[in-house]
Amino acid sequence: MKGKQNVEADILVVLPGSVPDDVQTAMKEDVSEMVSLFKLLSDPVRIHILKALELQELCVCILVEITDYKYSALSYHLKLLKEAEMVESKRERNYQIYYLTDFGRTLLATIESAFN
């Protein structure tokens, strides 16, 4: 039985104009903010919170009541979402009410449309 010969061919690829420089620039670009955002969105609890707030402004006490999440866990996730400027809050009487920012609403809509 004859073995297969593995022949590598030299292929010359010519990229047009400034493409090589543009690719190098893109590869050196600081993407740390995007990476942080993707890490933030990688937790299902945070996505659930965003989806809930998309429907209605809510306080943590309501989220605790209608989910299996603990108050401390929800507060932690809301803090992270707030730091990322996806969620904001306002005080109404004795309650801190959370709602999506324009950025949070736009980002969630973009993500949802990508999966529909």
Side-chain angles (χ1 to χ4, degrees):
M1 179 181 273
K2 287 186 175 181
K4 291 183 179 179
Q5 278 188 304
N6 193 2
V7 178
E8 290 185 31
D10 289 330
I11 299 173
L12 178 62
V13 177
V14 178
L15 298 173
S18 65
V19 171
D21 291 334
D22 294 345
V23 169
Q24 278 188 331
T25 299
M27 295 299 289
K28 292 177 182 175
E29 185 179 327
D30 180 12
V31 294
S32 58
E33 284 187 33
M34 282 193 271
V35 169
S36 294
L37 184 61
F38 281 113
K39 285 180 181 179
L40 178 75
L41 294 172
S42 69
D43 191 305
V45 174
R46 293 187 203 95
I47 299 294
H48 289 141
I49 291 170
L50 293 173
K51 291 181 74 57
L53 294 178
E54 182 180 36
L55 300 171
Q56 176 71 46
E57 296 178 353
L58 298 166
C59 67
V60 179
C61 58
I62 297 295
L63 288 168
V64 168
E65 189 68 31
I66 59 178
T67 67
D68 291 333
Y69 303 130
K70 294 184 177 174
Y71 186 94
S72 59
L74 286 168
S75 291
Y76 169 74
H77 291 295
L78 284 163
K79 175 183 156 279
L80 294 177
L81 290 168
K82 199 170 179 179
E83 288 172 355
E85 299 179 354
M86 296 183 71
V87 166
E88 195 50 69
S89 66
K90 60 186 174 187
R91 174 137 326 260
E92 287 186 8
R93 290 184 234 125
N94 294 332
Y95 300 99
Q96 197 70 18
I97 307 297
Y98 291 88
Y99 58 93
L100 290 181
T101 62
D102 289 340
F103 172 64
R105 190 170 298 284
T106 300
L107 186 60
L108 186 60
T110 301
I111 293 168
E112 287 176 330
S113 70
F115 287 94
N116 289 334

